[in-house]
Amino acid sequence: MSDSTPRDQAEIEPLSPALSLLHWRETRDADRYRNWCLEQFGGYVRVGEHEFHPAAVLTLKEGATESARDECRSQLQAEDDETICERYPAPIAVPYQQFLNGPRDPMRRLTRMRDTWEGLIHLLSALALAEASRIGVGNRPVMVVERGSRHRVRAKDLRSDRLSVRLGLLEGLLEGWRESGVHAAVADLIAPGVVDELRRLNAVRNGFSHLGTLSDSQARTFVAETAPLLRESLVDLLDLASVQLVRLSRVAPGSPPNAEVESLNGHAWSRRVLDLALDADSEPIILRAGRIGVYDRVLAKIGSRVVDLAPYFYACDDDSGHHTRVCFFKKRNEGMCLFEVVGEAVSNSSDATLHDSEFSRYQSALGSDAGGNDDG
């Protein structure tokens, strides 16, 4: 990604995660530990006619539980990092793998951290907006929820380069679905308190962005202090590993037709082509998903639901024609839509009129206040 950052203002956020998220994490971690114990012991421990959970057995020996928890934590961290790099959608997997395994220069690592959390916010908001265009928003106006304020969504919010607005749209949609009793697949991915934690993480990113040029020592300290926050947020969203991101290559006729797609999950850029079976729900989405200029559509499959992420994500060939670039929308400015390439310091632009009909999908789904084509 380029060195430019979205123009969020510095915000004051809580110093610790929301209580609801802390409770959820405590339950999740306890369940993961108990499952890990079962795997290590090969199931329950039998003593005569009785069975005992191995986690309970470990408590009988002094220090055994603490030692087991440390081993569990270390093993799960390695497994989670592998899952994020190999199975998460590319906008997250690529920069996170570069952060973990790329050059050790502190500023480059800090930049890759920033790219990861920006990619996370861009992807979640795009998934929510795309699903809203499919299933609607319930019976309440969609609000953009920011710290200390809320307003009805406007056209410029859909085109904003501010990550706080993207998070505000995400929270507004989740809130509207919940209050209207609408089941959204995206909502199943996001535990209570996660959006607040992403907002807190964004405030950390803003702090880094507003500090100016950092020394290696400052960057190294910043990485050490904030990497655990980023990683914990990624682990909060482990269900993202089940979300399929694909580039639509072509549709083969048939009954039903079959879509040839390229997988965009994981950090590797080698092309992995597969068939995407279509059903009555996904077929109309695929059949109208033609190219837009030089860009192919990026589709997401969340559970059984397929959504079109245009104009927030597209795919195209790199200069060699042998690898795929994933591009994400940054902003609209002076009649042009500006995009950045995931994992690269490359930006490109496209005539905004090519994408107006895509934005219109969201404007129609989110309500009349989202009308218009204002830049910004």
Side-chain angles (χ1 to χ4, degrees):
M1 294 186 187
S2 72
D3 292 331
S4 64
T5 58
R7 49 188 177 86
D8 285 4
Q9 300 299 312
E11 302 173 30
I12 299 175
E13 295 293 332
L15 298 178
S16 60
L19 194 59
S20 60
L21 181 59
L22 290 176
H23 288 161
W24 180 83
R25 285 176 175 175
E26 184 178 358
T27 301
R28 174 202 65 191
D29 292 344
D31 289 342
R32 297 186 84 190
Y33 170 67
R34 289 175 64 83
N35 290 334
W36 179 85
C37 287
L38 286 172
E39 291 177 3
Q40 297 301 305
F41 280 77
Y44 284 82
V45 177
R46 290 188 61 88
V47 180
E49 297 179 355
H50 302 283
E51 288 188 340
F52 299 91
H53 196 287
V57 175
L58 288 169
T59 64
L60 300 176
K61 182 178 180 181
E62 185 177 354
T65 295
E66 291 75 11
S67 177
R69 286 188 182 278
D70 288 343
E71 185 180 349
C72 171
R73 190 177 299 111
S74 176
Q75 182 176 325
L76 290 181
Q77 178 171 334
E79 291 176 0
D80 291 342
D81 283 344
E82 182 178 6
T83 295
I84 295 165
C85 292
E86 300 295 337
R87 296 175 54 197
Y88 270 38
I92 302 166
V94 170
Y96 190 65
Q97 194 274 341
Q98 292 172 341
F99 164 70
L100 288 180
N101 303 311
R104 311 317 288 169
D105 173 77
M107 275 305 302
R108 292 188 68 173
R109 296 195 75 213
L110 185 54
T111 299
R112 295 304 170 233
M113 277 181 55
R114 183 200 70 191
D115 293 346
T116 303
W117 59 57
E118 288 183 8
L120 181 60
I121 294 170
H122 281 294
L123 180 64
L124 287 175
S125 63
L127 289 172
L129 285 166
E131 188 167 21
S133 73
R134 292 287 319 276
I135 68 173
V137 296
N139 52 19
R140 302 173 63 89
V142 178
M143 308 299 291
V144 177
V145 183
E146 297 188 73
R147 285 292 181 192
S149 70
R150 53 195 297 129
H151 64 265
R152 195 164 175 179
V153 65
R154 303 164 299 199
K156 67 179 183 179
D157 296 324
L158 299 175
R159 299 165 173 81
S160 176
D161 66 340
R162 293 177 54 212
L163 293 181
S164 62
V165 173
R166 303 290 174 92
L167 284 170
L169 281 165
L170 174 61
E171 184 169 0
L173 285 167
L174 293 172
E175 180 184 273
W177 283 326
R178 182 174 59 251
E179 293 178 356
S180 301
V182 176
H183 177 255
V186 171
D188 292 339
L189 304 173
I190 303 173
V194 165
V195 176
D196 282 340
E197 185 65 0
L198 293 177
R199 186 174 281 112
R200 195 168 74 98
L201 195 65
N202 188 46
V204 172
R205 181 200 65 83
N206 291 343
F208 152 56
S209 300
H210 289 286
L211 285 176
T213 303
L214 302 180
S215 67
D216 282 355
S217 176
Q218 289 173 316
R220 191 176 294 108
T221 299
F222 206 90
V223 168
E225 291 176 347
T226 58
L229 299 179
L230 171 63
R231 189 184 173 283
E232 193 69 69
S233 290
L234 293 173
V235 174
D236 289 338
L237 293 157
L238 276 177
D239 284 341
L240 277 174
S242 67
V243 175
Q244 288 183 269
L245 219 64
V246 299
R247 175 187 186 178
L248 179 61
S249 299
R250 70 185 188 92
V251 179
S255 184
N258 191 69
E260 183 180 293
V261 299
E262 177 187 344
S263 173
L264 300 177
N265 283 60
H267 69 90
W269 285 128
S270 55
R271 286 185 164 160
R272 295 153 291 165
V273 177
L274 48 94
D275 292 330
L276 180 67
L278 306 184
D279 55 23
D281 183 59
S282 60
E283 184 176 336
I285 300 292
I286 302 297
L287 293 181
R288 67 169 177 261
R291 299 192 82 198
I292 299 179
V294 299
Y295 298 110
D296 284 328
R297 305 272 180 159
V298 171
L299 308 175
K301 187 174 184 181
I302 318 167
S304 61
R305 182 167 292 151
V306 174
V307 296
D308 180 358
L309 298 188
Y312 294 107
F313 283 92
Y314 291 114
C316 62
D317 291 341
D318 67 0
D319 293 339
S320 72
H322 299 303
H323 300 284
T324 292
R325 281 175 166 168
V326 179
C327 304
F328 67 94
F329 173 78
K330 288 285 286 186
K331 63 179 178 179
R332 173 180 168 140
N333 187 44
E334 297 182 354
M336 302 295 288
C337 282
L338 306 180
F339 298 91
E340 283 197 9
V341 177
V342 169
E344 301 182 38
V346 175
S347 299
N348 51 42
S349 60
S350 176
D351 186 340
T353 59
L354 294 174
H355 311 278
D356 281 346
S357 62
E358 302 306 320
F359 282 112
S360 294
R361 284 196 291 126
Y362 301 110
Q363 291 167 197
S364 298
L366 300 186
S368 59
D369 282 4
N373 284 315
D374 29 331
D375 288 343

